[in-house]
Amino acid sequence: MEHPFLTNRFIVKDMGVIQKIASSGIRNVYIDTERGKDLETARTQEEIHEHLQKTIESEILANKKEHKPVAVTEEVNRARKLYSETTSVIRNLMKDARLGKQVNVTALAPMAENIVGSVFRNSHALTGISRIKTKDEYTFMHCVSVAGLMATFAKEMNMSDEIVYQVAMGGLIHDIGKTMMPDNILNKPGKLDEDEMNIMRTHVDHSFLILKEEKGISEAAMDVTMRHHERVDGTGYPYGLKGDEISTIGKMSAIVDVYDALTSVRVYKDAWEPTFTMRKMLEWSDHHFDKQLVHAFIRCLGIYPVGSVVELESGLIGVVLDQSSDLLKPKIRVIYNKKKKFREMAHDVELEKIDFDRIVSFANPLDYDLDITPYLQ
Ligand SMILES: [Fe+2]
């Protein structure tokens, strides 16, 4: 209907027709070279093939370049922006779901891709930033953190790039059923009682109901959504699955979900220190989690993850800025002197490169009235 020709395929017999084509606004035509002459300057089939091949190769190269590892300091600003953008996409999506509107899960695909890119460049940037949450925004921020942690974990497990992407997507949607929880339960400023807990447990079924009509949700993403509350000893929900009844991705998602919940500040509790949380999770892995997987998870975050606070033998307190080849000797930013009880002028120390000081334990920044947020920026 947009041009004066009755058919899209016709033989061009003279210049008059060419002028008519051009004046009707048509900018491109395909020439059937079996029925007529090609352009003299046209590429041969071989040249076209070669050109396509080169384009594909340069795209692969560009993608790889995107994933080229960089230092935490280089990735951290990009990761922070990505974290807040993704949080607002999730916030809007969950609000839509709450209003009964159709949820557009495909809008999350580019966010999941960016998360994967960030994780490949330097996973410690996004996982470090994930620690900084606000109580009110926890529900949304938790989804972004779980996406980053799942991608990091899957990468550590040498899973394919496609699976790394799918589990990131799974993290973003894994708690979507929470939109169906009553407000007074979802945002209760205290611990839930048994009845409220039972209602809260139905969020997994609600996620299923919301997502079952959605196209393009992978099995891996669904696994994260449906299994993150299952426990290997069968005490989880909604199905009480045991051991290998839960897939590896399902078991990984349980570890990530609990780790992020515990290391986050909530309306009823402060954030736990990452190193302490990992130690606790290792204890619980006799019952709740797959021990091998908890070990693998600790390996990918480091014993002292980026964003955690440590105490040195000298009494200095510092925030972990980056990992090194030795998990016990990360790069830190010293911010406080415990012995002298005063704030140090912030300075960086690469523990791997010195032999006069070492980490003796993790520390809780609240004990020293310290806010670590500015040090991760
Ligand atoms: Fe959940």
Side-chain angles (χ1 to χ4, degrees):
M1 301 302 288
E2 288 164 0
H3 60 71
F5 306 103
L6 284 174
T7 164
N8 284 319
R9 298 153 64 101
F10 50 89
I11 295 189
V12 177
K13 290 186 176 144
D14 51 45
M15 277 309 286
V17 180
I18 292 178
Q19 271 159 14
K20 206 170 163 192
I21 292 173
S23 64
S24 69
I26 293 173
R27 293 282 166 262
N28 299 289
V29 292
Y30 289 100
I31 304 171
D32 182 350
T33 51
E34 284 186 6
R35 309 184 73 182
K37 277 189 188 166
D38 202 348
L39 292 174
E40 279 174 11
T41 53
R43 290 182 180 134
T44 62
Q45 284 295 327
E46 287 76 41
E47 282 168 341
I48 292 173
H49 184 75
E50 202 181 318
H51 173 73
L52 281 177
Q53 201 59 36
K54 272 190 189 151
T55 316
I56 293 168
E57 275 164 17
S58 68
E59 263 176 29
I60 291 174
L61 212 73
N63 262 337
K64 281 209 173 130
K65 218 168 154 195
E66 271 283 281
H67 287 175
K68 220 177 97 205
V70 298
V72 171
T73 40
E74 198 178 314
E75 186 58 25
V76 79
N77 282 327
R78 207 163 12 186
R80 187 176 316 100
K81 197 160 163 257
L82 174 63
Y83 195 87
S84 78
E85 276 172 9
T86 313
T87 301
S88 55
V89 173
I90 298 273
R91 188 193 302 116
N92 290 336
L93 186 114
M94 288 181 106
K95 278 184 180 155
D96 279 355
R98 207 176 180 85
L99 295 171
K101 288 189 196 163
Q102 175 81 29
V103 290
N104 181 13
V105 176
T106 47
L108 295 175
M111 305 328 273
E113 263 172 40
N114 289 338
I115 286 171
V116 172
S118 179
V119 162
F120 271 95
R121 284 190 296 272
N122 194 317
S123 62
H124 299 297
L126 194 62
T127 51
I129 285 176
S130 294
R131 288 213 57 213
I132 306 165
K133 295 195 184 67
T134 49
K135 293 172 196 168
D136 308 341
E137 294 273 83
Y138 170 78
T139 309
F140 319 124
M141 290 178 147
H142 170 66
C143 296
V144 188
S145 301
V146 169
L149 287 165
M150 278 308 289
T152 304
F153 200 174
K155 178 179 152 259
E156 167 71 26
M157 299 284 292
N158 284 325
M159 292 178 164
S160 70
D161 288 8
E162 183 58 25
I163 295 287
V164 174
Y165 163 77
Q166 288 173 0
V167 296
M169 192 71 176
L172 293 178
I173 57 173
H174 84 288
D175 264 346
I176 194 148
K178 278 193 182 168
T179 53
M180 296 301 155
M181 297 296 101
D183 234 345
N184 60 330
I185 294 184
L186 192 61
N187 298 317
K188 184 180 172 183
K191 276 202 164 172
L192 301 181
D193 65 29
E194 198 46 38
D195 289 343
E196 292 165 335
M197 210 38 225
N198 284 334
I199 295 172
M200 195 61 177
R201 286 189 180 114
T202 64
H203 79 275
V204 183
D205 303 314
H206 283 288
S207 297
F208 180 74
L209 292 173
I210 293 170
L211 297 173
K212 78 176 196 310
E213 302 297 338
E214 286 282 333
K215 288 187 184 73
I217 298 199
S218 63
E219 207 182 310
M222 217 52 201
D223 245 6
V224 176
T225 310
M226 297 308 292
R227 304 285 180 254
H228 68 275
H229 290 293
E230 297 288 357
R231 300 289 177 260
V232 286
D233 61 357
T235 57
Y237 65 89
Y239 302 111
L241 300 177
K242 264 188 187 162
D244 286 342
E245 287 172 343
I246 313 167
S247 65
T248 304
I249 288 173
K251 289 175 190 162
M252 287 161 63
S253 69
I255 294 169
V256 164
D257 187 61
V258 168
Y259 175 80
D260 187 66
L262 291 175
T263 52
S264 302
V265 61
R266 304 290 295 275
V267 269
Y268 53 87
K269 73 161 190 63
D270 288 327
W272 285 17
E273 277 306 298
T275 309
F276 175 73
T277 310
M278 284 175 180
R279 191 186 296 164
K280 280 287 166 202
M281 287 181 70
L282 261 181
E283 283 171 24
W284 298 332
S285 66
D286 291 333
H287 309 286
H288 287 176
F289 309 115
D290 181 312
K291 204 169 213 145
Q292 304 278 32
L293 288 176
V294 175
H295 279 283
F297 182 64
I298 293 173
R299 250 193 330 268
C300 66
L301 287 194
I303 293 168
Y304 303 106
V306 169
S308 62
V309 178
V310 291
E311 180 182 334
L312 305 185
E313 205 166 37
S314 58
L316 295 175
I317 306 284
V319 184
V320 176
L321 289 187
D322 201 357
Q323 300 295 320
S324 74
S325 56
D326 186 338
L327 286 181
L328 294 169
K329 296 175 178 174
K331 180 180 172 183
I332 63 164
R333 179 159 296 169
V334 171
I335 53 174
Y336 190 77
N337 190 320
K338 188 182 168 184
K339 283 184 184 155
K340 296 182 186 160
K341 293 197 174 69
F342 69 65
R343 282 175 197 235
E344 288 272 331
M345 178 93 102
H347 61 278
D348 297 354
V349 177
E350 291 185 56
L351 290 171
E352 200 183 21
K353 293 188 180 163
I354 59 165
D355 52 10
F356 52 85
D357 215 348
R358 64 185 186 95
I359 295 176
V360 284
S361 71
F362 64 91
N364 186 345
L366 298 176
D367 291 346
Y368 309 102
D369 201 19
L370 295 170
D371 177 12
I372 58 157
T373 317
Y375 301 105
L376 288 173
Q377 291 178 5

